[in-house]
Structure formats: C-alpha cells, structure tokens
C-alpha cells in the first residue's frame, strides 16, 4: 500500500498502519466478515473492503507498506531555469493576462523541466525559494526606463545643479483628499462584511501641495500647503501656478537658502508665469522628473503614509478632515526619519555638486 504525497506519516506511524493491514489479511484468510474486522480493528468498513481487494489480487505482500510517495525533486539549477522562464512573464508563454497562478506555473514546470508536480508541491517550491502571492505594481507604457536609470544614480545631475551648490533639494507633488476615506482590511466575522458609515455625496475636497526638503548635513523637512475646493460647477479643483509660487517662496524663507525643485511635468508646472518667476530669481532652480515616473518622487510615499492613517475613518464634517490632515502632516514633520525613508524608498541618492573653483 502507498499513501499519496507521503501521507504526512512518520516511519513509526506507517509501520503501525501496516500492522493493522496485516492483521486484517490474516482474518481475510480465516474467512471473517468485513463488518466484524472493521469493528475489532476500529477502522471503516470501506477501508477493510479496499484491503480485501488488494489481498485477493496480491496476497499479504499487497498489504505491506511501500514507503512514502516521493515527489520529483527540483534542484537549484532547475529552479534557476524556471525562475528565468517566469521572469519573461505569462505573455511569453501564450497567456493573455499578466498573472501567474499555481496551475500556470505547474504547466511551465511540466513543459520546461519535464517534471510533474502537484499544485501543493508547486506552492511549497515557490515558498521555499522566496516567492509569494503579491499584487503587481502598475507601470505606464510611456515610461522611459533609460531616463529613470540615469536619474537613479543621483538626483538631477548636470551643470544646473553645479551652479546651485549648497542648495536644498526639494521634491514637490500635489494630492487630493475627500471625506470618503480609503478602505483597509480589518477583522470581521466570516459572512458579515464590516461597514463604514460615510457621507453619500461629500461636497468638499482638500488639495495639498507638499515639499520634501533634503540637504546633506541638515535635518530633512516637510513643508505643505492646503487648499480647500468646493465641488461646484466651474470652480477650480487644483492648485494654480501662483499657489505653487507662494509655496516655493515660503520654502525659501523657512529653509534659508537656495532651493532646487524637482517636480513632474504637470501642466501647471510648465506655465509661462512660473517659468518667468524662476528666470527672475537666482535662488530657484527647477528640474523635471522623467515622464510617468512617480516612484522617483518621495512625496508619493508621504501620501501613502497619510492615507494609511486615514483608512476606515468616517468624517462627519469637513473640519474633521482638515483636522486629521493637519495632525498627520505634523506627525510626519516631527519624525525626520520618515521623510528620509521616503527618499530611500525611491532608490535615489543625494549627490552634493562639486563646489565652483575660485581663481587663485
């Protein structure tokens, strides 16, 4: 007799069960009935019938244990080949969507490695090699990966930063918050989904422009500016270029030095008024991030921290939303290591420009 997948039994337990089957075989030879044997050995009648059929076909030898069923072993070299195949993506193997399931991985193993594994064995194989079930991150098709790799070597390299020696590196971004909070997983009784009572039609939206400010040897800063918008027809629902200008002036005063602003290619950042203001003031230098590369901006991680703290929070009035936002931004401001961690998550490194050489 053989147990599938080894039966999860130790050698002692397999020997014990073999002894029960051999006792049943001796009673088969004596002509005893199935029900009597099942009652005396404390097993099911179906098991006794299965043993009786095996005994009729092969005698006592058919009732002996043949050991655990050994699954095919995947070596490290074979798994390296499998990992290379999985890295090509499901589309390279004729699958429409970009989703690896255990059954699909099982198919790749059978086709590429010529091995037949159960779904459970595939799951254990992937777990053992550090794979897990994850939600994929989105990447824009228009993203220029080469430009992203160049910027990852240092924040905004070039002669413009060399001219801004000793400046603060300031990352800027804008996000909107409404009275409908983001949802997060929580414990609840199975079959009874937890509920959060929220306003059906909130008529209020708050936009926040934030600056993550870094300078080697200085404590990291977080500067933000809120703006409240009413969801009325024709009303502006975002910051204007003058709002950005006022925020940069405020940052220049608080930081006490020139700043290099690193921002995205939002149309408000490209207005003629903002470009003219930059040209008229030597303390301000602007550098554009690569298009469709929000993961290079540490302010995106600030939004994640704020939204995580707001998850499942029901706001009764607009003032409750404003109070929550002020409190969370203040909490981050008092913890510079959080601001530093947001920069580390981008993979960017701050490189101090070479100071200009003074003539002898």
């Amino acid at each position: 007799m053989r147990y599938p997948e080894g039966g999860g039994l130790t050698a002692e337990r397999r020997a014990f069960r073999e002894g029960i089957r051999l006792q049943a075989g001796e009673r088969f030879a004596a002509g005893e009935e199935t029900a009597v044997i099942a009652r005396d050995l404390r097993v099911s009648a179906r098991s006794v019938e299965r043993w009786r059929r095996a005994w009729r076909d092969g005698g006592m030898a058919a009732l002996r244990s043949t050991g655990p069923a050994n699954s095919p072993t995947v070596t490290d070299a074979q798994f390296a080949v499998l990992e290379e195949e999985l890295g090509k993506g499901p589309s390279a193997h004729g699958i429409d969507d970009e989703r690896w399931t255990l059954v699909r991985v099982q198919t790749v193993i059978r086709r590429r490695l010529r091995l037949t594994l159960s779904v459970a064995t595939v799951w254990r194989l992937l777990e053992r090699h550090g794979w897990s079930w994850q939600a994929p991150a989105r990447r824009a098709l228009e993203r220029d990966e080469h430009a992203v790799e160049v910027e990852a070597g240092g924040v905004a390299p070039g002669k413009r930063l060399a001219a801004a020696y000793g400046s603060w590196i300031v990352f800027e971004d804008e996000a909107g918050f409404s009275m409908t909070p983001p949802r997060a997983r929580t414990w609840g009784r199975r079959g009874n989904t937890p509920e959060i009572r929220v306003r059906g039609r909130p008529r209020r939206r708050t936009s926040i422009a934030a600056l993550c400010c870094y300078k080697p040897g200085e404590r990291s800063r977080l500067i933000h500016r809120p703006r409240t918008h009413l969801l009325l027809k024709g009303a502006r629902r975002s910051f204007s270029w003058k709002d950005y200008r006022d925020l940069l002036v405020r940052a220049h005063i608080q930081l006490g030095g020139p700043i290099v602003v690193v921002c995205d290619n939002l149309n408000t950042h490209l207005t003629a008024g903002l470009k003219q203001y930059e040209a008229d003031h030597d303390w301000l230098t602007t550098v554009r991030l690569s298009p469709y590369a929000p993961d290079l901006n540490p302010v995106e991680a600030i939004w994640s921290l704020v939204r995580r703290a707001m998850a499942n929070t029901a706001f009764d009035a607009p003032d409750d939303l404003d109070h929550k936002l002020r409190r969370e931004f203040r909490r981050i401001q008092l913890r510079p290591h959080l601001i530093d961690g947001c920069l580390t998550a981008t993979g960017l490194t701050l490189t101090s420009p070479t100071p200009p050489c003074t003539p002898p």
Side-chain angles (χ1 to χ4, degrees):
M1 303 293 289
R2 182 183 293 276
Y3 298 102
E5 300 293 336
L9 301 176
T10 61
E12 293 79 6
R13 191 63 181 172
R14 284 196 300 273
F16 173 76
R17 290 196 176 188
E18 181 187 38
I20 293 179
R21 292 194 300 274
L22 294 179
Q23 293 181 37
E26 294 174 356
R27 302 180 72 163
F28 294 155
E32 297 188 23
E33 296 183 355
T34 298
V36 177
I37 299 175
R39 183 181 64 250
D40 293 345
L41 298 182
R42 294 184 178 183
V43 295
S44 66
R46 179 177 296 182
S47 296
V48 175
E49 286 292 345
R50 186 174 68 252
W51 298 342
R52 188 186 292 274
R53 288 193 298 269
W55 174 77
R56 288 171 181 169
D57 296 338
M60 296 294 289
L63 299 179
R64 295 188 179 278
S65 175
T66 56
N70 296 321
S71 299
T73 302
V74 179
T75 63
D76 292 341
Q78 289 176 321
F79 187 82
V81 175
L82 172 63
E83 199 165 23
E84 182 180 356
E85 293 296 327
L86 297 180
K88 297 177 182 178
S91 59
H93 296 270
I95 302 174
D96 295 334
D97 59 88
E98 294 294 322
R99 186 167 54 113
W100 281 121
T101 63
L102 292 176
V103 175
R104 292 175 178 178
V105 176
Q106 181 189 42
T107 303
V108 175
I109 294 175
R110 184 172 62 252
R111 292 176 179 175
R112 190 68 178 82
L113 303 182
R114 305 298 182 184
L115 297 176
T116 301
L117 304 181
S118 66
V119 173
T121 303
V122 173
W123 176 79
R124 288 192 293 268
L125 175 67
L126 295 178
E127 284 281 334
R128 187 166 61 250
H129 287 83
W131 286 61
S132 61
W133 182 257
Q134 305 177 28
R138 292 188 177 94
R139 284 289 184 270
L141 292 175
E142 301 88 350
R143 179 185 175 101
D144 188 350
E145 295 294 345
H146 175 70
V148 171
E149 292 179 0
V150 171
E151 290 184 359
V155 175
K159 60 182 180 181
R160 298 188 67 188
L161 277 191
Y165 173 73
S167 300
W168 285 80
I169 306 297
V170 177
F171 292 87
E172 189 276 334
D173 196 30
E174 175 192 351
F177 298 87
S178 67
M179 294 177 61
T180 302
R183 292 183 300 175
R185 294 181 180 271
T186 181
W187 285 101
R189 184 177 294 278
R190 188 176 289 110
N192 185 16
T193 304
E195 296 181 353
I196 304 172
R197 310 294 291 182
V198 298
R199 293 287 181 183
R201 296 186 62 187
R203 305 295 298 173
R204 174 81 174 271
R205 181 176 180 272
T206 299
S207 294
I208 295 182
L211 304 176
C212 283
C213 311
Y214 304 95
K215 184 179 180 180
E218 298 285 346
R219 181 174 65 90
S220 301
R221 310 281 189 88
L222 174 62
I223 302 174
H224 69 284
R225 185 185 186 92
R227 181 183 176 87
T228 301
H229 308 282
L230 295 177
L231 300 183
L232 301 177
K233 185 176 181 180
R236 187 179 181 87
R237 301 186 181 183
S238 61
F239 280 79
S240 65
W241 74 268
K242 293 182 180 180
D243 295 324
Y244 286 115
R245 178 200 61 190
D246 296 342
L247 177 61
L248 295 178
V249 172
R250 176 181 173 185
H252 173 56
I253 296 174
Q254 290 190 13
L255 299 176
I259 61 177
V260 177
V261 181
V262 184
C263 58
D264 56 20
N265 293 273
L266 186 67
N267 55 0
T268 310
H269 300 158
L270 304 176
T271 56
L274 200 57
K275 290 183 178 180
Q276 184 61 41
Y277 186 82
E278 176 190 357
D280 295 340
H281 296 79
D282 296 336
W283 55 267
L284 177 60
T285 305
T286 303
V287 178
R288 310 292 177 190
L289 284 173
S290 300
Y292 304 99
D295 51 310
L296 295 180
N297 196 333
V299 186
E300 293 288 345
I302 296 293
W303 305 140
S304 299
L305 292 175
V306 174
R307 289 194 171 95
R308 188 182 307 167
M310 295 173 56
N312 297 355
T313 303
F315 301 107
D316 294 332
D319 292 341
D320 296 336
L321 173 62
D322 295 340
H323 176 72
K324 181 68 173 180
L325 290 173
R326 286 196 301 268
R327 185 172 64 182
E328 290 306 319
F329 273 92
R330 184 58 178 167
R331 179 181 67 86
I332 299 175
Q333 287 175 331
L334 295 177
R335 294 166 174 80
H337 66 278
L338 292 179
I339 308 175
D340 294 333
C342 293
L343 178 64
T344 303
T346 64
L348 297 176
T349 55
L350 290 178
T351 55
S352 300
T354 304
C357 299
T358 57

